[in-house]
Amino acid sequence: MARSTHTTPSGFLLPSIHSAEPFFTQQPNPTTQSKQTETWSRLILSYARHRNLFFVRVEDAETAGGEWDEILRNERIKRKVMPPHLSHILSEMVAKNQAAYEPPKQTRSVLLYWRLPEEWAEVLHQWVTSTGQLTTILTFYEITDPPVPSPLSGIPAVLLRKAIAILGKTGRAQIISIADGEGARFFAATGK
Amino acid sequence: MGASQSTPKVTAQDRAILDLKLQRDKLKQYQKKIQQVLDREKEIARQHLAVGDKQRALIALRRRKYQESLLVKTDGQLESLEQLVSTIEFSLIEVSVLHGLKQGNEVLKEIHKEMNAESVEKLLEETAEAREYQREIDEMLSNNLTVEEEEAVEAELKALQAESVSESPPAIAHIINVRVQATEREAEQAPVELPSAPVNVPVAPEVYAEPIPNTHEEEPEQRERVPVMA
């Protein structure tokens, strides 16, 4: 059974297990299933990191043409992840704090934490410091869509707000809101 | 509540700046949208031409031209907005520089209060007086000590000689003795030949300071220990 790894058009290296048909079927045996779900979670997170994707939805398994086709489908062996299977994987990821249901109170779409909000908070603070924007008022749009691409380009506002809240707890950021929109201001780390 | 204690309060100025920046962002997003429309219209025009529909292609291109002019106008407004934002941020920096200067000025004034010219002059005078006094004392003392120091030095030399003779080989002892004889004409010391018990009796010096202690060579009755002057 020579399974091989495969590199996708976007440059992502798929593990050899991705070429195995049983990998796409939700396994009945609990041990195998937990191993399988774990592998799928890791795969989803590393792909999200590679392509800078933040959301995965059950409908990505239902319809083709989305961002996740390279992972959720394998045309060479003619297999794909079924929606219930994906739903199960997502619920496991949320339970392990690798993702969160976003918007909350539904189970069809999750926000992926291939970087924890705490880590995002650090990346954010470092970026603000290195671009010399401490104590400057920044709009959310400025952070998510800067003229110079940054590690934060494309971060969803939800995740950004969480990161800013974490920084706010250590006195390194504050959110300013007005009628038209929101912004934030960052400070150097207070002596801690 | 707890957060606002460690971070500065949000002032009305901050809100105004945020407002400006949000407007600037809106303009930027508008520009992006227009750019997309431009590209799309170009595509449409091309398609129409491919079909051979010159009329439609022309209309598409005309629309595109209009959008381009909008884009140029937006660029101008964006520039003036950004200039305003930069000027405001710069004046904020200027304010804090001024504030810093004022603080520094205050600190300097405080320091000068402690350090007025009269007390400095007085201090210098007192120091000069003290130095003069010290010089006088030094002179007095040096006059008194010259003779005594000389005698102490000679006694030390004798003691050293006695010591080294008992330890060193004959040749060096001889050299030392020659040297000693050269410096001490009045002391008649017989040259010691071999490292043995010294022949000459060390003379107890009549000085205030005690020479190098040589307990194992001095005879008991000579062991009158004079208290050392600290």
Side-chain angles (χ1 to χ4, degrees):
Chain A
M1 275 221 293
R3 309 285 181 198
S4 59
T5 63
H6 176 77
T7 314
T8 68
S10 73
F12 185 73
L13 185 65
L14 289 166
S16 52
I17 195 166
H18 197 261
S19 317
E21 287 92 348
F23 191 51
F24 288 80
T25 334
Q26 191 163 357
Q27 297 296 310
N29 180 299
T31 330
T32 345
Q33 187 185 81
S34 69
K35 197 77 183 49
Q36 181 190 39
T37 317
E38 199 191 299
T39 318
W40 268 116
S41 334
R42 234 176 314 129
L43 191 55
I44 291 178
L45 285 177
S46 55
Y47 189 68
R49 193 178 291 122
H50 169 80
R51 294 270 319 272
N52 215 43
L53 302 170
F54 291 89
F55 288 98
V56 73
R57 301 173 180 80
V58 177
E59 67 180 332
D60 289 322
E62 290 163 357
T63 50
E67 303 278 2
W68 291 93
D69 280 358
E70 283 182 350
I71 292 290
L72 298 176
R73 282 159 199 275
N74 190 336
E75 300 301 322
R76 288 153 292 131
I77 53 173
K78 301 219 187 350
R79 290 285 188 281
K80 62 179 185 170
V81 179
M82 300 308 283
H85 188 192
L86 183 58
S87 191
H88 171 81
I89 297 174
L90 295 183
S91 66
E92 285 293 309
M93 288 176 78
V94 171
K96 285 191 260 175
N97 198 33
Q98 291 170 326
Y101 285 122
E102 189 59 47
K105 308 244 198 310
Q106 52 82 41
T107 53
R108 282 187 60 88
S109 138
V110 304
L111 170 63
L112 293 170
Y113 287 164
W114 47 266
R115 211 178 236 159
L116 289 174
E118 289 80 16
E119 295 169 328
W120 277 117
E122 289 307 313
V123 172
L124 174 61
H125 194 265
Q126 265 175 25
W127 174 74
V128 169
T129 316
S130 63
T131 52
Q133 287 178 302
L134 284 172
T135 71
T136 321
I137 298 189
L138 299 166
T139 58
F140 275 23
Y141 183 67
E142 269 186 275
I143 302 175
T144 60
D145 217 337
V148 176
S150 79
L152 294 142
S153 299
I155 188 175
V158 190
L159 196 47
L160 180 58
R161 206 171 286 128
K162 281 194 216 208
I164 296 181
I166 292 175
L167 284 179
K169 284 205 206 97
T170 52
R172 291 188 284 170
Q174 66 182 171
I175 292 196
I176 311 173
S177 328
I178 57 174
D180 270 343
E182 291 180 294
R185 185 161 49 172
F186 302 88
F187 309 96
T190 53
K192 228 187 81 168
Chain B
M1 199 73 95
S4 65
Q5 280 170 7
S6 50
T7 58
K9 275 198 63 171
V10 180
T11 65
Q13 276 180 3
D14 297 332
R15 278 187 239 274
I17 293 178
L18 183 60
D19 199 24
L20 270 177
K21 289 199 172 182
L22 285 167
Q23 301 310 317
R24 179 202 59 190
D25 288 344
K26 277 210 195 105
L27 274 181
K28 274 201 192 144
Q29 284 169 313
Y30 182 66
Q31 275 193 324
K32 263 199 198 154
K33 190 180 85 176
I34 301 272
Q35 186 63 43
Q36 277 190 339
V37 171
L38 277 181
D39 297 335
R40 206 180 61 228
E41 293 289 335
K42 195 162 178 191
E43 245 339 282
I44 291 177
R46 204 175 286 147
Q47 282 172 1
H48 282 314
L49 269 182
V51 177
D53 200 339
K54 223 172 89 170
Q55 197 66 348
R56 280 257 163 81
L58 212 58
I59 296 176
L61 282 176
R62 227 177 265 144
R63 265 212 300 268
R64 188 166 178 277
K65 203 71 201 166
Y66 176 63
Q67 304 282 359
E68 258 179 15
S69 71
L70 271 184
L71 201 62
V72 169
K73 267 194 255 173
T74 325
D75 260 337
Q77 289 181 351
L78 194 64
E79 208 185 298
S80 54
L81 248 189
E82 281 187 331
Q83 259 183 15
L84 188 57
V85 169
S86 303
T87 318
I88 291 182
E89 287 186 327
F90 183 66
S91 55
L92 276 177
I93 303 269
E94 277 186 325
V95 161
S96 65
V97 165
L98 210 63
H99 186 68
L101 280 177
K102 202 161 62 135
Q103 294 247 5
N105 215 8
E106 297 277 337
V107 172
L108 206 56
K109 270 200 277 193
E110 286 289 326
I111 295 180
H112 281 168
K113 262 194 229 161
E114 293 179 24
M115 213 177 56
N116 60 350
E118 298 161 2
S119 52
V120 170
E121 256 188 67
K122 205 162 64 133
L123 195 69
L124 284 176
E125 274 179 29
E126 284 179 13
T127 318
E129 279 178 27
R131 252 187 283 140
E132 266 300 318
Y133 186 68
Q134 186 63 35
R135 219 163 40 78
E136 286 177 24
I137 302 230
D138 280 343
E139 259 177 69
M140 282 199 298
L141 283 178
S142 61
N143 283 337
N144 283 345
L145 275 180
T146 318
V147 171
E148 289 153 4
E149 269 185 348
E150 201 62 55
E151 289 185 44
V153 161
E154 284 176 19
E156 272 190 44
L157 195 56
K158 282 196 202 134
L160 254 182
Q161 180 200 0
E163 209 186 282
S164 62
V165 150
S166 66
E167 293 168 4
S168 59
I172 299 181
H174 186 66
I175 295 173
I176 292 177
N177 280 326
V178 168
R179 286 225 187 109
V180 164
Q181 278 176 352
T183 52
E184 286 184 311
R185 296 287 171 205
E186 65 268 30
E188 283 181 326
Q189 293 182 339
V192 182
E193 285 143 13
L194 282 170
S196 56
V199 178
N200 47 331
V201 176
V203 177
E206 295 186 1
V207 294
Y208 296 121
E210 172 82 342
I212 298 167
N214 265 325
T215 50
H216 67 283
E217 278 164 351
E218 281 178 328
E219 298 195 4
E221 64 259 26
Q222 300 294 339
R223 202 182 293 181
E224 29 180 350
R225 290 246 170 211
V226 184
V228 183
M229 209 158 58

